[in-house]
Amino acid sequence: MYTATLMLLGAGELGREFAIAAKRLGCRVIACDRYANAPGMQVSDAFEVFPMLDGAKLRAAVEKHKPNVIVPR
């Protein structure tokens, strides 16, 4: 059971560290970035790849995963 679902927008090195800390607190982490295999995606529970400025794809990812919190970088 997860305490919350976080959607992380930007999954670079800083996103990776944030994802690790969130998972230690019991959160489910969905990492989003514009390229596959970003560092944060390697430690997250799920990931999405799309251009960060594409509003329609961002909305689709939010509706798919239904996060409690969206964390922009």
Side-chain angles (χ1 to χ4, degrees), residues 39-56:
M41 291 178 184
Q42 297 171 11
V43 298
S44 64
D45 297 298
F47 65 90
E48 294 288 331
V49 178
F50 60 89
M52 294 289 105
L53 297 177
D54 189 337

Side-chain angles (χ1 to χ4, degrees), residues 19-64:
I20 290 169
K23 289 181 66 61
R24 285 182 181 159
L25 293 173
C27 296
R28 179 173 180 257
V29 177
I30 296 99
C32 301
D33 211 318
R34 61 185 172 84
Y35 62 96
N37 297 322
M41 291 178 184
Q42 297 171 11
V43 298
S44 64
D45 297 298
F47 65 90
E48 294 288 331
V49 178
F50 60 89
M52 294 289 105
L53 297 177
D54 189 337
K57 290 185 180 177
L58 174 58
R59 180 177 299 275
V62 169
E63 290 174 356
K64 175 181 176 182

